[in-house]
Amino acid sequence: MSAKATTDADIEGMRRAGRLAASVLEMIGEHVKPGVSTDALNDLCHRYIVDEIDCVPAPLNYTTGRGVPPFPRSICTSVNHVVCHGIPSSKKKLRNGDILNIDVTVIKDGYHGDTSKMFMVGKTQAFAERLVRVTQECLYLGIEAIRPGATLGDIGHAIETHAKAHRFSVVEEFGGHGIGKIFHDDPHVMHYGRPGTGSGIEQGMTFTVEPMLNAGRRHIKILPDRWTVVTRDHKLSAQWEHTILVTRNGAEVLTRRAEEAFGQIAGHAADATA
Ligand code: MF3
Ligand code: CO
Ligand code: CO
């Protein structure tokens, strides 16, 4: 079964969770600067999530149940060659030129909102900025492929095609996921694929799109902490993520930030109610 918002209450619950997750990324931006530790960013987000917006940080103590220890922090912070699932640490201080992904998942009234964005620390190099920009474009192109009747392969194909055009590689071991009352649900949303393949997309489905692009080769490895995913060649990696709701004729971006213009992609704003 795929994650699906079947009632108006489900849709409103997912909208609220999505908006609140986005607000965490809006809050933290001004704190991202050289000298700040990723653990300090975690603490600011944790306090905000618990005290200001009255949510539960889904990553904290999250388990995958395969002999992996519970995730020990409230957000993921992935710097430079860290692909995803970086663990905030007081020893990891941001430096001028770093690129950083902050990935936030909040639970509100049982519903999950999951979103991440890239931050540039101080003055970043042009090639790093290009990777970050193209990865965000991949996210948007993937979302634009979403509509009832399209397939998950259409999303992956849109992402893979744009990444390859810029000679970046797509990480294959991790993908987007159904989301709702469950954090990681069916379907698995691959960031590569062939048009018209994979499961059909239906109105009411809620899932994430969260492409990871590498500047070098696609291969990854997992560090002994069992969480941190890094590029094998230690070249840079970038990721952006949104939670979306499939509407009558497109996708509503539930985790949209104020800095993003769209509310609905591939459809009309007037149709934003699913
Ligand atoms: N937020 C991540 C995702 O996009 C999952 C993080 S799981 C954690 O799916 F335990 F590492 F936090
Ligand atoms: Co996710
Ligand atoms: Co996430």
Side-chain angles (χ1 to χ4, degrees):
M1 243 306 271
S2 295
K4 219 165 169 185
T6 42
T7 65
D8 286 354
D10 286 339
I11 291 171
E12 271 316 307
M14 287 301 288
R15 284 195 177 123
R16 189 171 307 120
R19 268 198 307 273
L20 291 168
S23 80
V24 181
L25 292 177
E26 292 173 332
M27 177 280 297
I28 201 64
E30 65 177 293
H31 301 283
V32 176
K33 50 193 173 201
V36 175
S37 76
T38 53
D39 211 31
L41 297 175
N42 174 78
D43 291 350
L44 286 162
C45 288
H46 180 89
R47 283 284 131 233
Y48 178 85
I49 290 166
V50 172
D51 296 338
E52 303 290 324
I53 60 175
D54 198 21
C55 291
V56 173
L60 185 60
N61 298 318
Y62 181 72
T63 52
T64 50
R66 279 178 272 106
V68 179
F71 192 80
R73 293 289 186 274
S74 297
I75 59 170
C76 298
T77 51
S78 302
V79 181
N80 294 340
H81 70 293
V82 179
V83 174
C84 62
H85 303 170
I87 301 173
S89 162
S90 56
K91 284 185 274 191
K92 184 68 196 174
K93 288 197 165 57
L94 298 177
R95 296 166 56 172
N96 187 49
D98 284 347
I99 60 169
L100 161 72
N101 175 279
I102 298 181
D103 192 338
V104 168
T105 311
V106 303
I107 310 171
K108 183 70 167 182
D109 301 330
Y111 296 99
H112 291 72
D114 186 8
T115 184
S116 80
K117 73 170 273 191
M118 296 299 297
F119 295 88
M120 327 257 197
V121 182
K123 176 101 192 81
T124 39
Q125 302 202 62
F127 75 92
E129 286 179 15
R130 209 166 61 79
L131 174 67
V132 167
R133 175 176 55 77
V134 170
T135 306
Q136 187 178 33
E137 289 165 358
C138 281
L139 169 63
Y140 292 161
L141 288 166
I143 294 172
E144 280 175 32
I146 298 170
R147 64 178 60 79
T151 70
L152 294 179
D154 296 335
I155 300 173
H157 179 69
I159 291 168
E160 180 181 14
T161 302
H162 191 60
K164 296 242 162 99
H166 289 271
R167 307 182 121 271
F168 294 133
S169 59
V170 176
V171 173
E172 296 184 356
E173 287 84 351
F174 300 90
H177 48 92
I179 185 168
K181 288 185 171 158
I182 296 171
F183 188 175
H184 292 113
D185 205 349
D186 288 337
H188 177 65
V189 181
M190 295 191 300
H191 300 124
Y192 60 95
R194 305 266 60 90
T197 65
S199 315
I201 296 170
E202 294 167 29
Q203 184 173 349
M205 288 171 82
T206 47
F207 56 83
T208 72
V209 183
E210 47 182 299
M212 283 146 272
L213 266 62
N214 294 349
R217 293 169 63 81
R218 71 168 179 82
H219 304 95
I220 55 132
K221 67 180 180 196
I222 299 179
L223 297 187
D225 65 25
R226 305 290 301 271
W227 280 106
T228 311
V229 180
V230 300
T231 55
R232 268 193 184 273
D233 60 15
H234 278 220
K235 292 191 177 170
L236 293 180
S237 188
Q239 179 178 30
W240 295 78
E241 175 176 25
H242 273 311
T243 297
I244 67 90
L245 165 72
V246 181
T247 60
R248 187 176 61 74
N249 60 349
E252 182 179 333
V253 178
L254 300 178
T255 46
R256 184 178 72 82
R257 299 179 301 283
E259 69 197 9
E260 297 176 299
F262 54 81
Q264 157 108 0
I265 289 187
H268 302 284
D271 294 329
T273 42

